[in-house]
Amino acid sequence: MDAGSYSASSNKKQSRCPLQEQLLQRRNSRENLDRFIPNRSAMDFDYAHYMLTEAAKKGKENPAVSSPSREAYRKQLAETFNMNRSRILAFKNKPPTPVEAIPNEFAFVQQPKSAKPRRHIPQTCERTLDAPDIMDDYYLNLLDWGSSNVLSIALGSTVYLWDASDGATSELVTIDEENGPVTSVKWAPDGRHIAVGLNNSEVQLWDSTANRLLRTLKGGHRSRVGALDWNNHILTTGGMDGQIINNDVRIRSPIVDTYQGHDQEVCGLKWSASGQQLASGGNDNCLHIWDRSMASSNSTTQWLHRLEDHTAAVKALAWCPFQGNLLASGGGGSDRCIKFWNTHTGACLNSVDTGSQVCSLIWNKNERELLSSHGFTQNQLTLWKYPSMVKVAELTGHTSRVLFMAQSPDGCTVASAAGDETLRFWNVFGTPEVAKPAPKANPEPFAHQRQTMIR
């Protein structure tokens, strides 16, 4: 409709020039015996005829012969018929107001919206680091990015630290074969202290700045600790024994709460941003929601919700940053689904079959988007638009399942580690509008993919 109106007006504009030109040419032709009169009802044809015939008579007659009585009669006649006018053709009515093609109340439809420019998502990684000896184990959590912009990764029995600001690599700790390998790593909120879960059921707390072991948590679990998460000074640990333990690292006897609900290994742990709810996923295909206010040090805490919709292990968990009670969970190889939950009611809001094993989930902090990492067959990272769950981009490059992902403190970059023994960095979430990029001395950081040994 808009296009049709615009086309008609443009045709009128184009036809005006040739039409005017044609009228000017025809004025000199004797065949043009008619003229364009805009409003015939506003014309006095009797007066016009009189003036034309009177002018012709004046040309033929001798004005000297005219008698005084005749001249007086002519003046009286002119006054009677109101013929003392200088204009023959005159408009009595104002020209009509031009009609708008589109009424004012609909004018907003034709105004183009100031659409936000579409964010460019690079299809290749910015940097690739070698990660030899990384364990290809779906149930572990071997990668984390701290608030001080230092990334930690466990390769076999060694934990390495990679400083994202200058690319420096350092070794934090190497565990002996009797107690290793390392099965999980998790930075504390301060970005300085880090928890390291071990295969022998112990958890070590390290000061990364001083490179010093602060304490070792023992006796809580009976087997390896594959999942960790912090809630302020509370370190929550999940083990192969199915137990979940809250440890207050400030006190001598750290165990303050115990959650029992999983029959098999706990492979996913995530506290909500408010610190009131804990989500746990296990190899028993179950997802539990625990309420902090229901925790008790005297007895085993009962879950708030037990969700059994997944048909495979639930490792990938991610709390929504813009809706506190929204949780995304991903299932293993025989499930392949991303599900969304209202953790207040326990209702499943949506379920999407991704077509492959879901290994990890990360929300975009600046847009309503969700990033997922996958296994066979494409081993890709997929960016989804929420809540429509339309695919925005698919990032490929890994040649084995992408087991682990971690997000930079500014929310822009995502690091992914896979069974192909590579660590890749993706600028998938762009640059936040509030952040201004700091000047860099090196003019070509991430200019091309390059292989660097991390140790």
Side-chain angles (χ1 to χ4, degrees):
M1 188 177 194
D2 294 343
S5 300
Y6 178 80
S7 176
S9 62
S10 62
N11 289 339
K12 289 180 181 179
K13 291 181 179 179
Q14 292 177 358
S15 60
R16 282 178 182 173
C17 293
L19 184 60
Q20 290 177 357
E21 209 172 86
Q22 200 171 17
L23 287 174
L24 290 174
Q25 292 175 353
R26 293 179 60 181
R27 286 179 182 175
N28 298 330
S29 174
R30 294 183 179 180
E31 297 177 359
N32 185 16
L33 301 179
D34 195 7
R35 66 184 65 185
F36 177 70
I37 302 175
N39 189 353
R40 292 180 180 271
S41 62
M43 304 307 157
D44 192 341
F45 292 101
D46 292 335
Y47 174 71
H49 180 267
Y50 170 79
M51 292 298 293
L52 291 173
T53 55
E54 188 70 16
K57 290 180 180 179
K58 286 183 179 180
K60 295 179 181 179
E61 296 178 358
N62 186 0
V65 181
S66 179
S67 63
S69 59
R70 186 180 181 87
E71 185 67 20
Y73 174 77
R74 187 188 66 79
K75 290 183 179 180
Q76 185 178 1
L77 185 64
E79 291 177 358
T80 302
F81 289 101
N82 192 23
M83 291 185 296
N84 292 327
R85 296 180 300 177
S86 60
R87 297 182 61 188
I88 298 178
L89 303 178
F91 286 106
K92 289 185 178 179
N93 301 327
K94 293 183 178 180
T97 306
V99 180
E100 296 182 0
I102 299 178
N104 290 331
E105 56 266 28
F106 301 108
F108 70 93
V109 178
Q110 198 162 352
Q111 295 177 357
K113 295 182 179 179
S114 55
K116 185 178 180 180
R118 187 174 180 180
R119 186 177 82 251
H120 172 66
I121 303 174
Q123 298 297 302
T124 57
C125 60
E126 295 180 331
R127 172 176 287 187
T128 301
L129 304 180
D130 283 335
D133 300 328
I134 191 170
M135 295 181 65
D136 188 3
D137 192 326
Y138 177 80
Y139 304 101
L140 305 184
N141 293 272
L142 305 178
L143 182 69
D144 194 30
W145 204 327
S147 59
S148 59
N149 206 22
V150 177
L151 185 139
S152 62
I153 184 171
L155 303 178
S157 296
T158 304
V159 177
Y160 292 93
L161 305 180
W162 184 80
D163 192 332
S165 59
D166 57 10
T169 303
S170 60
E171 179 181 324
L172 178 66
V173 60
T174 297
I175 307 300
D176 55 43
E177 294 182 2
E178 182 180 351
N179 298 320
V182 177
T183 53
S184 56
V185 293
K186 189 66 179 180
W187 284 101
D190 60 7
R192 173 174 178 173
H193 300 92
I194 185 171
V196 179
L198 303 179
N199 192 59
N200 69 345
S201 76
E202 297 178 356
V203 178
Q204 295 183 355
L205 300 181
W206 285 81
D207 183 341
S208 63
T209 304
N211 202 34
R212 181 169 59 94
L213 176 64
L214 300 177
R215 68 181 302 180
T216 301
L217 306 179
K218 301 179 181 180
H221 294 280
R222 299 185 300 272
S223 55
R224 71 179 186 179
V225 180
L228 302 168
D229 201 23
W230 289 87
N231 186 1
N232 294 324
H233 54 272
I234 300 295
L235 173 63
T236 304
T237 61
M240 184 180 277
D241 55 9
Q243 283 197 108
I244 301 172
I245 300 175
N246 284 345
N247 301 271
D248 189 337
V249 298
R250 303 170 301 176
I251 59 180
R252 182 181 295 274
S253 300
I255 300 177
V256 292
D257 305 308
T258 301
Y259 303 151
Q260 290 185 348
H262 291 283
D263 299 328
Q264 298 185 39
E265 181 170 14
V266 178
C267 50
L269 282 177
K270 280 292 187 301
W271 280 100
S272 63
S274 65
Q276 294 301 311
Q277 289 187 330
L278 172 68
S280 66
N283 194 28
D284 55 1
N285 307 345
C286 289
L287 169 63
H288 286 92
I289 307 298
W290 312 86
D291 196 308
R292 183 78 174 89
S293 61
M294 299 171 60
S296 174
S297 58
N298 299 327
S299 61
T300 302
T301 302
Q302 181 68 22
W303 61 76
L304 179 64
H305 300 294
R306 179 181 173 90
L307 309 172
E308 302 177 300
D309 293 27
H310 284 289
T311 58
V314 183
K315 175 195 174 185
L317 301 171
W319 290 92
C320 179
F322 51 83
Q323 187 174 339
N325 64 325
L326 178 61
L327 175 72
S329 64
S334 60
D335 180 81
R336 308 182 305 274
C337 290
I338 298 176
K339 297 182 184 295
F340 298 91
W341 309 89
N342 182 335
T343 60
H344 288 171
T345 63
C348 182
L349 305 176
N350 192 14
S351 180
V352 178
D353 189 345
T354 66
S356 59
Q357 181 184 52
V358 183
C359 302
S360 184
L361 293 170
I362 292 179
W363 286 95
N364 186 344
K365 296 179 181 179
N366 308 305
E367 301 283 348
R368 298 196 172 212
E369 296 173 341
L370 180 68
L371 181 68
S372 58
S373 69
H374 299 270
F376 182 80
T377 61
Q378 295 186 20
N379 307 311
Q380 84 280 13
L381 280 69
T382 302
L383 183 63
W384 309 83
K385 190 70 177 177
Y386 183 83
S388 64
M389 292 305 287
V390 173
K391 289 184 181 180
V392 178
E394 284 195 337
L395 310 177
T396 58
H398 284 291
T399 57
S400 181
R401 56 182 179 174
V402 188
L403 294 170
F404 319 110
M405 287 197 303
Q407 190 174 21
S408 62
D410 62 6
C412 301
T413 306
V414 171
S416 62
D420 58 7
E421 298 189 338
T422 63
L423 176 63
R424 297 171 184 264
F425 296 84
W426 311 84
N427 185 20
V428 62
F429 292 144
T431 303
E433 296 179 359
V434 294
K436 295 182 179 180
K440 298 180 180 179
N442 185 3
E444 52 174 14
F446 311 124
H448 58 279
Q449 178 177 329
R450 49 182 177 173
Q451 295 280 341
T452 306
M453 288 294 291
I454 198 169
R455 64 172 185 175

